[in-house]
Amino acid sequence: MPIKNKILELQKRRELVQLGGGEKAIEKQIAMGKLTARDRIESILDKESFHEYDLFVQHDARDFGMDKKELHGDGVITGTGTVFGKPISIFAQDFTVVGGSLGRMHAGKITKIMDHALKMKMPLIGINDSGGARIQEGVNSLAGYGEIFFRNTIASGVIPQISVILGPCAGGAVYSPALTDFVFVVNNISKMFITGPEVIKSVLGEEISQEDLGGAKVHSHITGNAHFYAESETECFEQIKKLLSFIPWSNVEKAQKIAPKPPKTKAKIENVVPEDPKQPYDVRDVVRCIVDDSDFFEVQENWAGNAVIGFGRVNGETVGFVCNQPLVLAGVLDVDSSDKIARFIRFCDAFNIPLVTLVDLPGYLPGVDQEHAGVIRHGAKILYAYSEATVPKVSVVLRKAYGGGYIAMNSRHLRADFYFAWPGAEIAVMGAEGAAKIIFRK
Amino acid sequence: MQKDTKNGEKPQYKKLIIEDSVYKTLYTEKFEKKTKWEKPDERKVYSYLPGTIIKLQVKQGDKVKIGQPLMIFEAMKMMNTVKSTQDGVVKDILVKPGDKFPKNHLLMEFE
């Protein structure tokens, strides 16, 4: 065969394989309100920057008639591209090819791109849309998951890892997103759970829909498993790009500095924060008085609202903000907010992002439920994270810092580099009423 | 959960008391939904797993010794035995074979 024909043949085969599960399956995917895996990759990456790896990989399963099945790309698309002109690695499971089920070669493609991302020190974006393990491949598919989880762990804190849940992600598959730094979900599309509605029904007799069990709202509002919630895939991709604009490409880099801008808001901290320590206010309004262009990108905004975390820029450089939120539960620390804060500190510390802590809390949330849920071990995570973090750590006491909460929220004792008191700040073992009652007890 | 105050609507603030200080704030859904803790009644036998009753091994009025099997239930594809944690007399059995029950469901009461 002349070389020209060989090239034509290659092009023909490439076009066929790039269609994934074929036009009918693509129509079905679109009817479900979802984009195709290829469209998703192209929506995230810079235009025409995608460079695909392992397009012609085929599975090697021979049982249950699998030898007669050709699965294009083995149900996953992997490769590299750029975002803001910087190299990034990405994989997207293709639901149109046997439900995006994960077999040995499918996992092999993913682990290869993960290894590459780690070697080249670039972020990894994983788009999950899969029915789960490919049962026909037996334990080989479980081995595939294990290989992915191992790499998620080894890469943790070295390169940023982003998981996007754009379809079902059930059973063991959910642990890969849980091991990564940020999880994005989209309303009506994302579904995550360890055991699905059928199993729950057969064991417990409880009937629940996939959406109510592990939909986007559940994970962004109730469980805290997801960090960003969007109404559409397009909105989700914008959020991913916004996040990428704030974070560095690896743990040996700093986030990109941009031209500093003054805060946009006309509000002033002295007008936002009421003098009376018992009055509520939205601490996010304070953050907007500090950050460039008043642009505060909140993480996990719908979960554990008594703590606020997120990214902003100060003098053009990315800063991680950790704040108590007097608007919700008076800004107390509890099980959920402790987990939320501690995990965020660990991310910022790993990726050279300085921390600013805005302190205004009356202490820990009292209650049997909190104690029995292990608020001691959850609360300890904040102490550990702040003590261990070596990035610059600055605290500002906006109003009150009482008791154990004062120590936990980046106090000098945990080696805050600078500890500022806003005029009117109260640092004390407890509020005035409680202290008076004990000291002047009859 | 977290409400934005931008819409001009004044949020309905509630009270949260921490060490005798009364704070004005909003509640989370989780906080509002939490149930009051009650001291567990040792006379009552609750399920420690969700499952299905297979067989009852005692009946109302029976004298039971500590460690004696009370019933067998199936959960997570396994047969499990509920053993008595006390000596006593069975006052009431609230389940029958074939019943499906969730975790922390009242199965039996002692006198």
Side-chain angles (χ1 to χ4, degrees):
Chain A
M1 206 195 278
I3 194 82
K4 213 175 116 193
N5 292 11
K6 282 184 179 171
I7 290 172
L8 277 175
E9 171 72 15
L10 175 67
Q11 278 168 350
K12 237 172 72 190
R13 282 179 58 186
R14 185 176 281 152
E15 271 168 33
L16 177 74
V17 174
Q18 280 179 345
L19 265 184
E23 283 180 0
K24 250 192 175 160
I26 290 173
E27 269 171 37
K28 246 171 119 182
Q29 173 89 351
I30 289 165
M32 282 191 276
K34 303 198 287 189
L35 294 175
T36 63
R38 215 162 274 282
D39 286 344
R40 285 166 173 171
I41 288 175
E42 268 161 27
S43 307
I44 294 172
L45 300 182
D46 293 340
K47 220 175 163 206
E48 284 169 20
S49 71
F50 183 52
H51 182 73
E52 185 165 356
Y53 291 13
D54 302 326
L55 177 63
F56 296 111
V57 162
Q58 277 293 329
H59 69 88
D60 57 0
R62 291 294 168 262
D63 300 326
F64 310 110
M66 287 299 285
D67 50 341
K68 291 177 200 77
K69 278 191 183 160
E70 196 181 319
L71 308 178
H72 292 155
D74 209 39
V76 64
I77 301 167
T78 64
T80 52
T82 61
V83 173
F84 312 128
K86 293 189 286 184
I88 201 162
S89 57
I90 192 164
F91 71 84
Q93 293 179 310
D94 186 351
F95 198 78
T96 67
V97 181
V98 287
S101 63
L102 183 139
R104 189 157 80 124
M105 300 313 279
H106 178 124
K109 281 177 74 172
I110 294 175
T111 52
K112 185 170 166 184
I113 200 73
M114 291 174 86
D115 288 340
H116 189 62
L118 191 57
K119 188 170 72 182
M120 302 308 293
K121 293 261 163 73
M122 57 183 168
L124 174 76
I125 299 174
I127 301 175
N128 294 263
D129 185 3
S130 162
R134 196 176 296 157
I135 310 292
Q136 292 88 339
E137 294 199 26
V139 179
N140 277 342
S141 61
L142 299 186
Y145 280 121
E147 293 293 330
I148 295 171
F149 303 158
F150 178 80
R151 282 167 178 81
N152 282 139
T153 308
I154 294 302
S156 182
V158 182
I159 53 169
Q161 298 181 84
I162 291 168
S163 291
V164 198
I165 316 298
L166 294 179
C169 179
V174 295
Y175 285 119
S176 174
L179 287 164
T180 61
D181 299 306
F182 296 102
V183 177
F184 290 76
V185 291
V186 176
N187 197 17
N188 290 324
I189 293 177
S190 315
K191 271 131 201 122
M192 290 174 89
F193 31 75
I194 299 276
T195 52
E198 296 83 27
V199 179
I200 290 180
K201 199 184 163 191
S202 70
V203 175
L204 306 173
E206 289 173 344
E207 254 183 87
I208 188 163
S209 69
Q210 289 198 352
E211 196 64 31
D212 290 336
L213 179 65
K217 278 230 167 80
V218 170
H219 289 302
S220 54
H221 291 67
I222 298 174
T223 67
N225 286 330
H227 300 81
F228 298 96
Y229 168 89
E231 286 293 338
S232 68
E233 292 197 24
T234 320
E235 189 192 347
C236 173
F237 301 146
E238 289 309 310
Q239 288 174 344
I240 294 169
K241 276 184 244 185
K242 179 130 195 197
L243 173 69
L244 287 171
S245 76
F246 279 107
I247 62 176
W249 248 228
S250 76
N251 68 347
V252 292
E253 281 177 47
K254 281 190 80 176
Q256 190 165 6
K257 190 178 173 173
I258 63 165
K261 270 186 188 172
K264 207 160 58 184
T265 176
K266 296 270 183 320
K268 285 208 153 77
I269 298 176
E270 55 263 47
N271 301 331
V272 174
V273 182
E275 218 179 305
D276 179 355
K278 287 162 205 144
Q279 294 296 318
Y281 65 91
D282 192 339
V283 74
R284 293 174 295 186
D285 291 337
V286 178
V287 178
R288 290 188 193 107
C289 293
I290 301 169
V291 295
D292 288 11
D293 205 24
S294 297
D295 185 10
F296 178 51
F297 188 52
E298 196 178 345
V299 179
Q300 286 173 316
E301 62 175 320
N302 300 305
W303 177 68
N306 39 330
V308 168
I309 55 171
F311 299 105
R313 284 193 186 84
V314 175
N315 202 22
E317 298 215 46
T318 298
V319 168
F321 281 87
V322 177
C323 323
N324 306 118
Q325 171 62 294
L327 188 64
V328 179
L329 293 178
V332 290
L333 288 177
D334 60 0
V335 168
D336 287 347
S337 62
S338 296
D339 285 358
K340 178 173 169 176
I341 289 173
R343 197 178 194 273
F344 184 70
I345 295 169
R346 303 277 286 169
F347 177 85
C348 291
D349 183 44
F351 291 100
N352 317 311
I353 298 170
L355 285 161
V356 169
T357 307
L358 301 183
V359 188
D360 191 345
L361 85 164
Y364 284 85
L365 181 63
V368 180
D369 60 321
Q370 285 296 313
E371 297 297 335
H372 287 188
V375 66
I376 297 175
R377 72 187 158 87
H378 290 278
K381 291 178 188 174
I382 301 188
L383 301 172
Y384 188 97
Y386 271 128
S387 300
E388 179 258 10
T390 54
V391 289
K393 297 181 287 188
V394 174
S395 293
V396 182
V397 183
L398 288 173
R399 260 185 340 184
K400 58 198 180 296
Y402 295 158
Y406 151 69
I407 310 170
M409 291 304 289
N410 194 30
S411 61
R412 281 299 298 235
H413 325 298
L414 306 186
R415 303 297 182 267
D417 295 295
F418 290 97
Y419 201 81
F420 294 96
W422 181 254
E426 294 176 18
I427 301 170
V429 75
M430 59 173 68
E433 287 91 345
K437 215 167 153 184
I438 290 170
I439 293 169
F440 302 108
R441 192 188 290 161
K442 278 173 195 154
Chain B
M1 299 281 307
Q2 210 148 307
K3 280 142 200 145
D4 238 321
T5 45
K6 294 276 146 61
N7 314 337
E9 277 177 51
K10 270 232 152 160
Q12 288 285 312
Y13 290 119
K14 301 197 173 122
K15 283 178 191 169
L16 185 71
I17 303 170
I18 310 260
E19 283 171 333
D20 295 305
S21 300
V22 184
Y23 296 94
K24 232 165 112 179
T25 189
L26 297 174
Y27 289 168
T28 59
E29 220 180 296
K30 195 172 176 178
F31 186 79
E32 269 174 309
K33 277 187 186 163
K34 74 172 187 180
T35 49
K36 221 179 149 190
W37 186 80
E38 276 168 34
K39 196 171 165 52
D41 184 348
E42 284 181 11
R43 274 175 237 276
K44 290 179 175 168
V45 181
Y46 290 94
S47 58
Y48 56 89
L49 276 176
T52 311
I53 303 287
I54 298 296
K55 193 172 136 196
L56 297 172
Q57 288 161 301
V58 289
K59 54 183 190 302
Q60 211 174 336
D62 278 6
K63 268 194 182 170
V64 177
K65 285 229 152 94
I66 195 163
Q68 186 179 332
L70 301 174
M71 62 181 78
I72 296 175
F73 70 96
E74 191 196 319
M76 313 301 289
K77 300 172 186 116
M78 296 264 287
M79 296 298 170
N80 302 272
T81 308
V82 181
K83 286 181 183 163
S84 180
T85 53
Q86 57 193 300
D87 295 334
V89 178
V90 178
K91 185 182 165 196
D92 203 3
I93 300 173
L94 293 110
V95 285
K96 53 183 191 309
D99 279 3
K100 275 185 180 174
F101 54 86
K103 192 178 166 180
N104 295 326
H105 182 75
L106 183 58
L107 302 172
M108 194 180 273
E109 267 184 77
F110 282 97
E111 267 174 21

